[in-house]
Amino acid sequence: MARVTALGQAALRWVSILAVLILWQVFAEAHVVSAFLLPSFSTVSVRLYHDVVSGDMILAVALTLYRAFAGFALAAVFGVAIGILIARISVMRWFFDPLVSIGLPMPKIAYLPVFILWFGVFDASKILMVTFSAIFPVIVASWAAADGVEGVLLWSALSLGAGRRQLLWEIALPASMPQIFTGLQVAMPISLIVEIISEMAMGGEGLGGSIMTEMRFADSPGVFSGILAIAIVGAVLVKAMELIRRRLLLWHPEALAG
Amino acid sequence: MTGISFHEVSHTYRPPRSAPTLALERVSLDVREREFLALLGPSGCGKSTLLYLLGGFLPVEAGAVTVAGKPVTGPGPDRGIVFQNFALYPWKTVRQNILYGLEKQRLPRAERERRARELIELVHLGGFDNSYPAQLSGGMKQRVAIARTLAVDPAILLMDEPFGALDAQTRALMHEELLAIIRRTPKTVVFVTHDVREAVYLADRVAVMSARPGRIKEIVDTGFAGEKGPALTGTRAFADKVEHLWDLVRGEAILAQTRRD
Ligand SMILES: Nc1ncnc2c1ncn2[C@@H]1O[C@H](COP(=O)(O)OP(=O)(O)O)[C@@H](O)[C@H]1O
Ligand SMILES: [Mg+2]
């Protein structure tokens, strides 16, 4: 029964996507607006296919993913470290608490000009822009997770012969993993979004960069095929994070239940 | 040497945003080497607190807690503890949970695995080696927690209502297992419970605690040291002992109840 509903829901998702695509196609074919303003889905798909076959799209996706992942990885490593340190060391909490409160809700992309000024317009500044945007949810999730580790887990480890230094790696970190991973799942789409916006603003190829180039050449099917590609890449990334979560947190009730 | 001594021990909890609680007040208690002592008292009277002080998890702020004459300064594998809520590592399987303490000792791998196997059999969890705690029933989790603690073979065993989550039948089985384990590798045991029959059945002596702030109200010798076994529970002497302890506990339980209201 649960299985049937799950399948049904998966199908429903495709139904709604399909409906939008059909509407798009019908509306475009009706020529209510010009093909330049709204090229049809079939035109855009053919264009996307050609861009993939020619290798242009592969290159753009690879470049965007490389920078998004690099920024994400830095945010993950430093975000988890900072979050756990805040939870454990009162000086760190005193220092970072106000900064995180201000930084978390702030639109980090507003710093783009500063990043360009400081780090130029090449890979380094895009990667750091991504890190800066993605690190806050990771810090907050890791902080909350480390704060919430049950004291008796640490106590039992100590009484089984663990040293204080082993507590972090062997107990606190694995106990915090579900919440930390939730933070990473929030940070992943942020990384992709910020990377693409940075490319649009700074240039430098990639998915965002090539859309802006195509727009300058009034290549509207090119723009739309870029948007389609972004949608697909984003959906794949989110799904991939879900799958990794399931594998990594095999022990968690949520995985065991499914 | 595993004799335990509490001397005039008091403990106050000071939660950051609420009033302090005096949990223990001038508790003095001696546990002899290789003795099985049960701590009996109403809920909230400070039984767990007493155990945590002995385990070295809470700082001793007033009075002295010593093991073999030396003050307790922190947790250590000489004092194994089974916590009330299991405190299992949810990301480790049954086998990995039991192996954790063994990995801290410098045993060869094969030896560790052998001991883990033995313990899994001992607590009747064969076939669940690779299950995660979330897949186990309360009673099974409790048995994993006991096996994990026994794995490092502590000279002193602290147990905080370890059989509270078990059904009566499993509990009776676990009683026999525990007594068998202690016969095989003698230990000093401090066993917290609020079950009078359990205390009388398992312990050499029963320390009855008063309602909060916890004090030792009376220490009762059960006097059944040599004759433990299922037959004991049917005897007149056993029933009398249970009755006597019930009388002591009843007053405190009522007191604890009225204070909570
Ligand atoms: N961490 C804590 N902070 C504040 N009060 C606590 C804390 N732990 C226990 N207490 C209080 O101390 C008293 C004794 O608790 P405890 O030792 O757990 O009792 P028992 O194990 O006998 O039920 C109780 O009144 C309880 O509310
Ligand atoms: Mg308790």
Side-chain angles (χ1 to χ4, degrees):
Chain A
M1 188 60 214
R3 183 125 202 108
V4 174
T5 16
L7 270 172
Q9 269 172 359
L12 215 62
R13 279 171 61 152
W14 285 105
V15 168
S16 63
I17 292 168
L18 208 65
V20 168
L21 294 180
I22 290 170
L23 257 160
W24 175 8
Q25 182 69 18
V26 170
F27 192 70
E29 299 248 318
H31 293 294
V32 182
V33 296
S34 74
F36 176 74
L37 291 183
L38 186 68
S40 71
F41 171 60
S42 54
T43 315
V44 172
S45 303
V46 170
R47 172 58 184 269
L48 183 59
Y49 172 77
H50 283 300
D51 285 350
V52 170
V53 170
S54 75
D56 290 352
M57 186 55 82
I58 306 285
L59 199 69
V61 169
L63 206 55
T64 295
L65 283 184
Y66 153 65
R67 292 188 290 233
F69 282 156
F72 173 81
L74 287 173
V77 170
F78 287 100
V80 170
I82 292 171
I84 288 176
L85 286 174
I86 291 176
R88 305 198 113 211
I89 304 171
S90 54
V91 178
M92 291 286 288
R93 186 189 311 249
W94 171 81
F95 182 78
F96 276 104
D97 194 354
L99 296 182
V100 172
S101 317
I102 295 171
L104 182 69
M106 183 167 217
K108 264 69 72 178
I109 201 71
Y111 284 85
L112 198 68
V114 180
F115 275 68
I116 295 175
L117 210 60
W118 289 354
F119 306 111
V121 292
F122 299 107
D123 283 4
S125 72
K126 295 192 190 79
I127 290 171
L128 289 175
M129 192 64 233
V130 168
T131 302
F132 183 56
S133 308
I135 201 168
F136 285 92
V138 181
I139 292 176
V140 171
S142 312
W143 178 357
D147 251 352
V149 174
E150 276 185 275
V152 284
L153 292 186
L154 305 175
W155 285 1
S156 81
L158 287 171
S159 82
L160 288 169
R164 303 238 163 224
R165 300 250 308 279
Q166 294 169 320
L167 290 184
L168 175 62
W169 291 104
E170 294 177 2
I171 309 295
L173 206 58
S176 305
M177 243 358 245
Q179 253 179 300
I180 289 178
F181 205 87
T182 303
L184 295 179
Q185 282 177 295
V186 173
M188 178 53 89
I190 291 178
S191 300
L192 184 66
I193 292 166
V194 170
E195 168 56 25
I196 288 168
I197 296 176
S198 301
E199 288 168 357
M200 289 177 145
M202 299 184 200
E205 317 271 309
L207 282 168
S210 33
I211 287 180
M212 293 311 274
T213 310
E214 282 146 358
M215 200 192 74
R216 260 178 232 124
F217 287 96
D219 173 9
S220 103
V223 170
F224 277 89
S225 78
I227 289 171
L228 198 58
I230 289 171
I232 293 168
V233 168
V236 168
L237 277 188
V238 167
K239 195 74 204 164
M241 288 297 277
E242 273 171 32
L243 291 177
I244 294 171
R245 182 190 183 95
R246 289 211 148 222
R247 282 224 45 84
L248 211 61
L249 302 179
L250 258 184
W251 53 271
H252 203 264
E254 73 186 21
L256 294 171
Chain B
M1 285 292 286
T2 53
I4 298 160
S5 159
F6 288 85
H7 181 70
E8 303 260 303
V9 175
S10 300
H11 191 83
T12 306
Y13 285 103
R14 293 188 181 78
R17 269 173 289 280
S18 55
T21 308
L22 180 61
L24 295 173
E25 190 175 38
R26 296 160 74 91
V27 169
S28 294
L29 174 68
D30 285 293
V31 188
R32 304 178 198 124
E33 195 164 347
R34 297 189 171 182
E35 178 180 32
F36 195 127
L37 181 109
L39 273 177
L40 189 62
S43 156
C45 75
K47 304 182 296 293
S48 296
T49 307
L50 203 68
L51 224 52
Y52 295 163
L53 287 165
L54 180 52
F57 307 120
L58 295 174
V60 180
E61 284 161 350
V65 181
T66 58
V67 171
K70 287 197 243 7
V72 168
T73 54
D78 58 321
R79 284 151 292 141
I81 182 161
V82 178
F83 289 99
Q84 203 169 349
N85 297 318
F86 328 124
L88 295 178
Y89 309 129
W91 61 93
K92 289 182 187 285
T93 62
V94 167
R95 198 179 123 270
Q96 291 165 337
N97 264 282
I98 293 171
L99 277 171
Y100 186 76
L102 293 168
E103 281 157 8
K104 299 296 162 200
Q105 303 182 326
R106 298 206 165 70
L107 292 172
R109 191 193 174 83
E111 174 66 14
R112 296 198 302 249
E113 295 287 350
R114 195 187 59 73
R115 274 196 60 74
R117 275 243 56 80
E118 266 178 24
L119 283 155
I120 288 172
E121 292 306 326
L122 180 73
V123 295
H124 305 295
L125 283 172
F128 291 93
D129 311 40
N130 297 319
S131 300
Y132 289 100
Q135 296 168 297
L136 305 178
S137 71
M140 291 161 93
K141 285 183 205 170
Q142 211 145 32
R143 283 181 275 154
V144 178
I146 291 168
R148 184 179 65 177
T149 304
L150 289 174
V152 295
D153 195 20
I156 296 174
L157 194 53
L158 312 178
M159 305 181 94
D160 197 351
E161 308 194 19
F163 304 139
L166 302 186
D167 60 89
Q169 207 174 340
T170 317
R171 180 193 296 225
L173 283 175
M174 288 307 296
H175 285 164
E176 298 315 314
E177 292 296 350
L178 180 60
L179 291 173
I181 288 162
I182 292 162
R183 266 196 295 273
R184 225 176 317 143
T185 52
K187 297 175 190 307
T188 306
V189 184
V190 181
F191 187 100
V192 167
T193 179
H194 55 232
D195 179 340
V196 177
R197 287 177 63 86
E198 181 174 70
V200 175
Y201 185 62
L202 292 175
D204 303 320
R205 287 193 304 158
V206 181
V208 180
M209 290 181 74
S210 65
R212 202 181 72 213
R215 294 196 198 83
I216 304 293
K217 184 175 177 182
E218 193 167 327
I219 297 179
V220 177
D221 254 296
T222 60
F224 302 123
E227 46 199 303
K228 296 264 155 78
L232 176 64
T233 56
T235 65
R236 184 63 210 238
F238 184 82
D240 286 346
K241 206 53 107 178
V242 170
E243 187 57 34
H244 173 58
L245 275 159
W246 248 122
D247 285 339
L248 286 173
V249 172
R250 194 174 289 124
E252 296 304 329
I254 292 165
L255 204 59
Q257 204 60 50
T258 47
R259 260 197 228 156
R260 196 168 306 152
D261 300 338

